[in-house]
Amino acid sequence: MMNKENENIRWSLLAKDVSGELSAQEHEQLHNELANNQDIEKQVKKLWGDAHYAQALKDINTDKAWSNVKTQINSNKKGILFKRYMAIAATLVIILVSSLFVGIISKQQTSVISTTHSIEKVVLPDGTTVDLNHGSTITFPRKFKGNTRKIQLNGEAFFDVVRNEAMPFIIETEQINISVLGTSFNVKAYEGATNTEVIVTSGKVKVDSKLNSENVILEAGDAVNYSVNSNTLERHKVFTNNYKAWKTKELEFNNTSLSEVIQTIEDSYHISIIVGDSIFTENKVLNATFSKYSLEHVLESVCTSFNLQYSKQGEAYFIENRH
């Protein structure tokens, strides 16, 4: 039979008090019930507090735990009561710490690679290669398991995916998901950007919008642009390889306006170019090909074609009319 000094305690209230969910009215009720049982309250709160640091209480069935506690309180001896409290609370601590440990191990099984002012080549566990552009981050498991090879990308990267029909390769970005079997393509998906772009070099790629049910299938030479403003996937053709010039430094201009030439050079060499107000870039077109030339050579060639000159001031390049 339960000890008389404990028989009036409502254990559900004590459990809610420990977990911080007790209302003011319930707190007053519990205070009255514990008037002659302060030792019990202090002991239980201490043991529970020791476990709380693991921040895993949401994973524990507290109702079931407290039910187990109540079924153990059948002794008339206070010393035995506390020993059983401690044994049960210790079990809760072990469960909580184990949950935390599993979470830490899970994080250790994931790799995160980020770049700032450099391009880095990454080889994934399946042999897929990824060229990671400036200011980009890729997150992937140390070993692919299950039915898919899923990774996350924030930024821009060129993928050459190893084919595996039984295990599709999935890239998750902020706005779209990309599914492939084996192919090569470029993804530009910086966090916070209003546009995300996928351009396919070889093979097939499926692109799904995360904000609606729209999707498209792309083949070599196809591209799709997702716009946040219109919430649509806009498909189009690509006729040059300038989209991956940031990686290859291969530039091709066919009747290309000077404004687009400058934008391509900025993206490929990660620089800022400021054009003088008196230069009308839309009225000037360029026909030229550059293969792995230095930035200075490219700028000099472009400027010479239009009787312009460039200079560097700080981190930016300025283009103006030749004096």
Side-chain angles (χ1 to χ4, degrees), residues 257-259 262 275-285 306 308 321:
S257 67
L258 181 57
S259 61
I262 291 174
V275 181
D277 295 336
S278 61
I279 301 173
F280 300 100
T281 57
E282 296 300 327
N283 297 331
K284 296 177 172 60
V285 296
F306 300 107
L308 303 172
N321 288 309

Side-chain angles (χ1 to χ4, degrees), residues 18-54:
V18 171
S19 60
E21 299 176 354
L22 206 62
S23 67
Q25 183 179 358
E26 291 172 326
H27 182 80
E28 182 64 25
Q29 293 174 356
L30 182 62
H31 176 75
N32 294 332
E33 293 174 7
L34 287 173
N36 298 317
N37 297 279
Q38 298 300 314
D39 289 339
I40 292 178
E41 180 187 30
K42 291 178 181 179
Q43 186 70 16
V44 173
K45 284 189 175 183
K46 179 182 183 302
L47 289 171
W48 195 285
D50 290 342
H52 186 69
Y53 83 95

Side-chain angles (χ1 to χ4, degrees), residues 72 75-86:
Q72 297 294 323
S75 172
N76 292 328
K77 296 182 179 180
K78 200 171 183 178
I80 296 177
L81 174 65
F82 281 128
K83 288 181 180 179
R84 289 178 177 175
Y85 262 131
M86 294 175 67

Side-chain angles (χ1 to χ4, degrees), residues 115-318:
T115 61
T116 51
H117 303 294
S118 63
I119 296 172
E120 185 167 346
K121 182 178 287 293
V122 181
V123 180
L124 301 184
D126 65 335
T128 291
T129 59
V130 183
D131 290 285
L132 204 59
N133 203 354
H134 290 211
S136 302
T137 299
I138 186 173
T139 304
F140 58 94
R142 293 186 182 275
K143 183 177 181 180
F144 290 120
K145 299 178 181 179
N147 299 323
T148 61
R149 295 168 286 168
K150 190 173 183 179
I151 65 118
Q152 289 78 43
L153 171 68
N154 172 21
E156 184 170 16
F158 186 88
F159 293 84
D160 192 353
V161 178
V162 171
R163 188 174 185 84
N164 185 343
E165 295 184 8
M167 205 173 185
F169 190 90
I170 298 175
I171 302 168
E172 182 178 4
T173 73
E174 184 179 24
Q175 300 165 354
I176 62 174
N177 287 335
I178 305 156
S179 305
V180 301
L181 296 178
T183 182
S184 57
F185 54 96
N186 194 82
V187 181
K188 190 174 185 179
Y190 285 96
E191 183 178 3
T194 57
N195 293 283
T196 297
E197 185 180 52
V198 179
I199 304 176
V200 178
T201 302
S202 64
K204 286 186 178 182
V205 169
K206 180 184 178 185
V207 178
D208 290 277
S209 170
K210 297 177 72 172
L211 299 179
N212 59 43
S213 58
E214 191 177 5
N215 65 75
V216 296
I217 304 295
L218 306 177
E219 298 183 350
D222 290 338
V224 67
N225 183 77
Y226 174 80
S227 171
V228 173
N229 297 328
S230 63
N231 190 24
T232 58
L233 293 171
E234 300 177 0
R235 182 174 176 172
H236 59 277
K237 286 288 185 181
V238 175
F239 299 102
T240 73
N241 289 323
N242 289 345
Y243 65 88
K244 58 179 179 178
W246 61 267
K247 179 179 87 79
T248 65
K249 297 300 183 288
E250 301 278 348
L251 301 170
E252 181 181 354
F253 302 112
N254 298 308
N255 291 321
T256 307
S257 67
L258 181 57
S259 61
E260 185 176 341
V261 170
I262 291 174
Q263 182 64 59
T264 301
I265 294 174
E266 286 183 316
D267 293 342
S268 302
Y269 290 90
H270 306 97
I271 62 168
S272 175
I273 298 176
I274 300 174
V275 181
D277 295 336
S278 61
I279 301 173
F280 300 100
T281 57
E282 296 300 327
N283 297 331
K284 296 177 172 60
V285 296
L286 179 68
N287 289 284
T289 300
F290 301 97
S291 179
K292 299 182 180 179
Y293 284 108
S294 66
L295 169 63
E296 288 71 20
H297 175 87
V298 174
L299 285 175
E300 184 62 38
S301 298
V302 171
C303 287
T304 299
S305 300
F306 300 107
N307 196 31
L308 303 172
Q309 63 182 23
Y310 79 92
S311 60
K312 184 178 182 182
Q313 300 179 26
E315 296 298 320
Y317 289 81
F318 288 80

Side-chain angles (χ1 to χ4, degrees), residues 88 113 295:
I88 295 168
I113 297 178
L295 169 63

Side-chain angles (χ1 to χ4, degrees), residues 50-84:
D50 290 342
H52 186 69
Y53 83 95
Q55 297 182 351
L57 289 177
K58 63 179 182 295
D59 297 326
I60 305 299
N61 187 331
T62 54
D63 290 337
K64 183 177 180 180
W66 280 107
S67 177
N68 291 337
V69 169
K70 288 191 291 182
T71 60
Q72 297 294 323
I73 306 175
N74 295 314
S75 172
N76 292 328
K77 296 182 179 180
K78 200 171 183 178
I80 296 177
L81 174 65
F82 281 128
K83 288 181 180 179
R84 289 178 177 175

